[in-house]
Amino acid sequence: MNTYHYLWRLIMYRPIRYLINAIAWTVIYLAPIAPGLITKEFFDSLTGTSALGYGVWGLIALLMAAALGRIMLIIIGFITDVNFRFRMGMLLRRNLLEHVLKQPGAQAIPVSPGEAISHFRDDVDQSEEAASWSVDVFGMTCFALVSGYILIRIDAQMTLLVFMPIVLVITAAQLATVRLQKYRAASREATSKVTGEISEMFGNVQAIQVAGAEKRVIARFSSFGDDRRKAMLKDRLMGELLDSVFSNSVNLGTGLILLLAGTKMRAGTFTVGDFALFVYYLTFVTQFITNVGKFITYFKQMSVSLERLTFLLQGASAKVLTMVNSLHLKAESKVAEAAVSAIPLAQNGRESERQSGDDREGSEKVARGLERVSASGVNIGQGHIKDENQIAASLQRLDVNGLSYAYSDTGRGISDIHFSLKRGSFTVITGTIGSGKTTLVRSLLGLLPKGEGTIAWNGVPVDDPGTFFTPPRSAYTAQVPRLYSDTLRNNILLGQAEQGDSLQLALHAAVMEFDVAQLPGGLDTVIGPRGVKLSGGQAQRTAAARMLVRDAELYVFDDLSSALDVETEQKLWERMFQRRSDATCLVVSHRKTALTRADHIIVMKEGRIEAEGNSDELLRQSATFRELWYGDERHT
């Protein structure tokens, strides 16, 4: 998609609003036509050559009325502009965010979070700016045509000198296009690196301190800052140079007009009112010339923004950015979203339906995305399922056949995985480090790009696990808890409404009630970036409470109990099954507490299932399992 197509799709997102905005600003820009003519008559009346009979005070009253009218028009114009312009920005961010949420966790964004923020903020703003300025250019072009017609009827020669600078402006802007794009791209890239470095520093403060790397990190940051300063200086200088060309070309035209007007007035072919009209219109013609130059600049910069935004799509069509979707700005949309979020959702995946803008469909997408973030802190996929009625039923059996995934950089992963989970079962995946345990559960849940194999829920194939395995079907706790610098309550709920005693029950099941009582602010204690104010065990149990507050058919724990003592872990499993006796659990663990409780154990080795069974069977059959079971004892 080229820049012209991109701009057109943005305009056509809400064509009626764009048309209303264009009409409003066209009227605003045409409004000075009348005051200019009144000003001409005012000065002609002073010399007794006015064709109107209103008198001086009558003309002054008309000028004041015209000024007040233009003020009202500008207020209306700002309202129409806000209602269209910011919808464009919201649409781009909404679609970009939805696409990011659709990607598997391993491929969510190809840049650091700080760099992604730069894309979401600066590049969207630049696209919005270019689309908004197209309205101004259209309105001022109409003014230029009308005023040009009036001025040509007065004096064609002087009119030519008024509009001559336009040619210089457009020529200068076109000549500067390549260099302008180059400087803008370099400036954005340098800003992204600085933003990304700040994000990385804040996220790894402890690691930097432990390694004594403060000076090296500061030097790296200073280098990025210096590169950004140079790039932005070039970008700003180019912009100022173009602005200088715009303004000086107009000043040159102004000087020529003054010289020519003086000659014509002495010859008696040009009145004082004619001179006042030319000078009055010249101010707005100056704006027109400047705005045309700015729009050309913004349009060229828009191509840079499009390229950067498309990069975040990771191969997807750029049309994703401008797909028509509801923004949920009306109260009824919020009600619809709340209503459908509690219903098992299905998505048929056809682009024509995704582009329909229907509030219900948009609400479903948002609900799925929020639930996925809430449950795991990672990104999700979007797809479709074959039989909504069957899929929506409670889990009776989950079958995995031939599941395989290989990392592109190492070739390692999992291969030909087969297993089944029955309702109410407690299945543990165990194995040595690097055996593929986490890769298995992440592939199952769609947190890695789809590989080979099939997954069936109650016998019905799941086409896109990333979309399907979300609450209320599945809830997941990652190996490393994703916590935020917010209150403990908000970290657990993550936007979910607190209903009845669900939060307290989740805290009890996660063995967190004593810890909450000891915190200075209880549930309203701010736990700091990444939960630094919590111990490792508290962080894991907070993640467990976050998962358990969302009732699900399948709970997936990835090494949840690694930072828990044996007694706390035992309580957690007991309380969980007291709360949900029919809960189906898939647990990654090597701890005896989990292995002893397991109905079924899957032993992984080098990405494959080496053995299966209960603990007694595996102690007799599997050397790997015996090593895991007795490993700690043999080293004592």
Side-chain angles (χ1 to χ4, degrees):
M1 182 165 64
N2 58 34
T3 312
Y4 294 98
H5 192 199
Y6 179 47
L7 176 61
W8 177 251
R9 287 177 66 92
L10 282 178
I11 291 172
M12 294 307 294
Y13 166 55
R14 288 289 184 265
I16 301 300
R17 289 188 179 275
Y18 181 84
L19 181 61
I20 293 173
N21 192 36
I23 292 173
W25 282 95
T26 300
V27 173
I28 290 170
Y29 286 120
L30 286 174
I33 294 293
L37 295 174
I38 296 172
T39 301
K40 176 184 181 305
E41 294 300 327
F42 174 80
F43 282 100
D44 282 344
S45 68
L46 297 178
T47 58
T49 58
S50 174
L52 296 178
Y54 287 102
V56 174
W57 289 107
L59 292 172
I60 291 176
L62 287 175
L63 285 173
M64 293 179 65
L68 291 174
R70 190 163 188 265
I71 291 173
M72 296 302 298
L73 288 172
I74 290 174
I75 293 174
I76 295 173
F78 274 111
I79 294 173
T80 60
D81 191 57
V82 167
N83 274 280
F84 172 76
R85 174 174 179 166
F86 291 105
R87 275 177 169 81
M88 286 188 296
M90 286 188 286
L91 177 72
L92 289 173
R93 292 186 177 98
R94 179 217 179 281
N95 288 344
L96 193 58
L97 180 60
E98 183 187 48
H99 181 79
V100 168
L101 291 176
K102 289 194 305 185
Q103 303 307 303
Q107 292 186 337
I109 52 175
V111 295
S112 70
E115 290 178 275
I117 290 174
S118 175
H119 288 284
F120 272 84
R121 180 191 60 205
D122 300 333
D123 293 313
V124 170
D125 285 346
Q126 193 67 63
S127 301
E128 174 191 306
E129 194 79 23
S132 179
W133 272 89
S134 67
V135 172
D136 295 77
V137 170
F138 177 77
M140 297 208 76
T141 300
C142 291
F143 167 81
L145 293 174
V146 175
S147 61
Y149 174 75
I150 295 173
L151 295 178
I152 285 173
R153 294 192 62 183
I154 296 175
D155 194 303
Q157 184 183 27
M158 289 189 60
T159 302
L160 179 63
L161 293 176
V162 169
F163 289 97
M164 188 183 298
I166 297 175
V167 178
L168 297 176
V169 170
I170 295 176
T171 302
Q174 291 297 334
L175 291 175
T177 295
V178 176
R179 192 169 295 275
L180 183 66
Q181 287 179 305
K182 176 183 176 181
Y183 289 159
R184 177 50 54 97
S187 174
R188 291 286 174 81
E189 185 67 25
T191 300
S192 295
K193 287 184 177 180
V194 171
T195 310
E197 186 69 12
I198 292 174
S199 174
E200 293 298 322
M201 285 194 298
F202 283 151
N204 298 281
V205 171
Q206 191 174 48
I208 293 171
Q209 291 177 333
V210 170
E214 292 93 336
K215 291 183 179 179
R216 291 192 297 275
V217 171
I218 291 174
R220 175 181 169 86
F221 182 70
S222 297
S223 175
F224 285 155
D226 192 51
D227 291 342
R228 177 175 179 265
R229 177 183 59 80
K230 294 176 181 178
M232 292 195 71
L233 181 61
K234 292 178 180 178
D235 185 25
R236 182 63 60 86
L237 283 175
M238 178 58 66
E240 293 297 330
L241 177 62
L242 288 176
D243 286 342
S244 177
V245 171
F246 301 153
S247 60
N248 287 328
S249 61
V250 172
N251 291 336
L252 175 62
T254 303
L256 292 174
I257 290 171
L258 290 174
L259 290 174
L260 188 56
T263 304
K264 289 179 177 291
M265 289 176 70
R266 285 196 301 270
T269 60
F270 204 70
T271 67
V272 176
D274 293 336
F275 177 79
L277 181 63
F278 268 80
V279 173
Y280 184 86
Y281 282 172
L282 184 61
T283 303
F284 298 98
V285 171
T286 302
Q287 290 182 6
F288 165 68
I289 296 171
T290 304
N291 286 357
V292 167
K294 283 185 176 180
F295 173 70
I296 294 173
T297 302
Y298 287 139
F299 184 78
K300 300 304 180 184
Q301 293 170 351
M302 189 184 196
S303 64
V304 177
S305 298
L306 175 60
E307 181 180 349
R308 285 165 52 85
L309 290 172
T310 304
F311 175 69
L312 281 186
L313 299 181
Q314 303 185 75
S317 171
K319 292 181 180 180
V320 170
L321 295 170
T322 53
M323 284 172 55
V324 176
N325 282 296
S326 173
L327 298 176
H328 305 285
L329 298 179
K330 297 180 180 180
E332 55 266 28
S333 297
K334 296 180 181 179
V335 173
E337 180 177 340
V340 299
S341 63
I343 302 174
L345 305 174
Q347 166 60 283
N348 64 15
R350 291 176 295 178
E351 183 177 357
S352 61
E353 292 190 16
R354 288 201 305 268
Q355 291 181 340
S356 66
D358 180 76
D359 282 347
R360 177 182 174 88
E361 181 182 352
S363 299
E364 292 175 351
K365 292 177 182 178
V366 174
R368 283 197 298 268
L370 290 176
E371 284 293 338
R372 186 57 161 182
V373 174
S374 299
S376 64
V378 293
N379 299 313
I380 67 170
Q382 177 183 3
H384 62 280
I385 54 183
K386 294 185 176 179
D387 190 325
E388 181 178 354
N389 295 326
Q390 287 181 280
I391 288 288
S394 60
L395 174 63
Q396 301 301 322
R397 184 182 180 90
L398 182 70
D399 297 299
V400 176
N401 294 296
L403 188 64
S404 301
Y405 176 79
Y407 293 98
S408 58
D409 52 348
T410 64
R412 300 183 62 183
I414 58 173
S415 178
D416 197 28
I417 302 297
H418 298 262
F419 66 88
S420 297
L421 304 179
K422 295 181 180 179
R423 183 174 185 80
S425 63
F426 188 93
T427 302
V428 174
I429 301 173
T430 192
T432 57
I433 295 174
S435 60
K437 304 183 297 296
T438 295
T439 301
L440 193 160
V441 296
R442 288 172 64 82
S443 297
L444 170 67
L445 299 176
L447 301 177
L448 290 173
K450 189 174 182 179
E452 298 179 357
T454 61
I455 302 167
W457 180 284
N458 296 340
V460 181
V462 176
D463 290 336
D464 192 331
T467 298
F468 182 79
F469 286 105
T470 60
R473 298 189 189 96
S474 172
Y476 168 62
T477 296
Q479 191 172 20
V480 178
R482 305 294 184 105
L483 302 179
Y484 305 92
S485 184
D486 203 338
T487 64
L488 182 62
R489 183 193 308 276
N490 290 341
N491 266 276
I492 294 172
L493 294 174
L494 279 182
Q496 178 172 293
E498 187 174 345
Q499 299 176 349
D501 58 354
S502 60
L503 180 56
Q504 295 303 323
L505 290 174
L507 289 170
H508 177 75
V511 199
M512 275 288 290
E513 69 275 18
F514 177 78
D515 301 86
V516 172
Q518 300 302 310
L519 292 174
L523 281 169
D524 294 318
T525 301
V526 177
I527 63 176
R530 301 194 178 187
V532 295
K533 295 183 180 180
L534 302 179
S535 67
Q538 287 174 330
Q540 286 192 324
R541 281 177 284 135
T542 298
R546 175 192 293 170
M547 181 174 66
L548 295 172
V549 80
R550 295 162 173 81
D551 286 332
E553 294 294 317
L554 172 66
Y555 292 101
V556 182
F557 302 83
D558 189 354
D559 206 14
L560 170 68
S561 58
S562 60
L564 304 183
D565 58 71
V566 175
E567 182 181 358
T568 302
E569 182 184 2
Q570 184 69 35
K571 286 182 179 180
L572 188 149
W573 298 129
E574 289 176 356
R575 292 181 180 183
M576 179 174 175
F577 281 97
Q578 287 174 0
R579 181 168 182 258
R580 280 288 307 274
S581 59
D582 61 342
T584 305
C585 294
L586 181 62
V587 180
V588 174
S589 180
H590 64 276
R591 302 281 292 268
K592 283 187 178 181
T593 307
L595 294 171
T596 303
R597 175 175 286 274
D599 304 315
H600 189 72
I601 301 171
I602 298 172
V603 181
M604 297 288 295
K605 184 177 182 179
E606 297 180 354
R608 295 178 176 270
I609 295 179
E610 183 190 58
E612 295 182 74
N614 59 38
S615 57
D616 293 334
E617 294 171 342
L618 291 172
L619 284 171
R620 294 193 302 270
Q621 301 170 4
S622 173
T624 301
F625 185 77
R626 286 195 296 272
E627 180 66 28
L628 293 168
W629 184 273
Y630 296 116
D632 292 338
E633 298 176 8
R634 292 178 179 176
H635 289 88
T636 58

